[in-house]
């Protein structure tokens, strides 16, 4: 793919290999979230990491109006490999504010 060609010269560390896992493997995400992310072209954890959880959330929300902020929390926490309930209220508030700016 064009994207792979762009990144073909980038060295892969072992952590990056983990990140090329399918998006469904991200902690906290259910099957529906995986489908929604794939619909907007996010198929791997590394793609989500590159875009960031807020932009990913905005893309999904534009196509899936019923997506809730829980998806945003789930992605942000998943990228840190923690349970979404471990995010502080401040982290959630920052994410929400960022997501609503777009």
């Amino acid at each position: 793919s064009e994207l792979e060609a762009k990144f073909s010269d980038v060295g892969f560390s072992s952590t990056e290999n983990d990140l090329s896992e399918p998006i469904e493997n991200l902690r906290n995400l259910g099957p529906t979230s995986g489908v929604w992310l794939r619909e907007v072209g996010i198929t791997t954890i590394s793609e989500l990491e590159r875009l960031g959880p807020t932009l990913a959330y905005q893309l999904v929300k534009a196509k899936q109006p019923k997506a809730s902020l829980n998806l945003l929390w789930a992605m942000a926490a998943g990228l840190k490999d923690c349970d979404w309930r471990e995010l502080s209220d401040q982290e959630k508030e920052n994410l929400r504010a960022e997501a609503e700016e777009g």
Side-chain angles (χ1 to χ4, degrees):
S1 77
E2 198 179 312
L3 195 63
E4 283 168 339
K6 249 182 226 162
F7 291 97
S8 63
D9 57 340
V10 176
F12 285 98
S13 66
S14 58
T15 52
E16 281 188 67
N17 287 337
D18 298 344
L19 293 174
S20 66
E21 285 185 56
I23 193 65
E24 291 80 4
N25 291 8
L26 188 71
R27 191 168 169 180
N28 303 313
L29 287 192
T32 305
S33 304
V35 169
W36 288 352
L37 286 161
R38 284 183 179 277
E39 283 177 353
V40 297
I42 301 166
T43 61
T44 64
I45 295 173
S46 61
E47 287 168 344
L48 176 60
E49 182 133 271
R50 255 199 304 277
L51 276 176
T54 22
L55 183 54
Y57 172 74
Q58 290 168 335
L59 290 169
V60 170
K61 186 83 176 158
K63 276 193 102 128
Q64 298 290 347
K66 65 177 191 267
S68 77
L69 285 164
N70 285 342
L71 175 62
L72 179 57
W73 315 152
M75 291 187 296
L79 287 172
K80 299 199 311 190
D81 195 29
C82 67
D83 187 279
W84 68 269
R85 289 175 290 259
E86 292 173 42
L87 291 179
S88 69
D89 290 343
Q90 188 58 61
E91 284 175 298
K92 287 183 184 174
E93 186 49 42
N94 294 347
L95 286 162
R96 188 191 60 73
E98 218 178 286
E100 288 173 3
E101 271 167 28

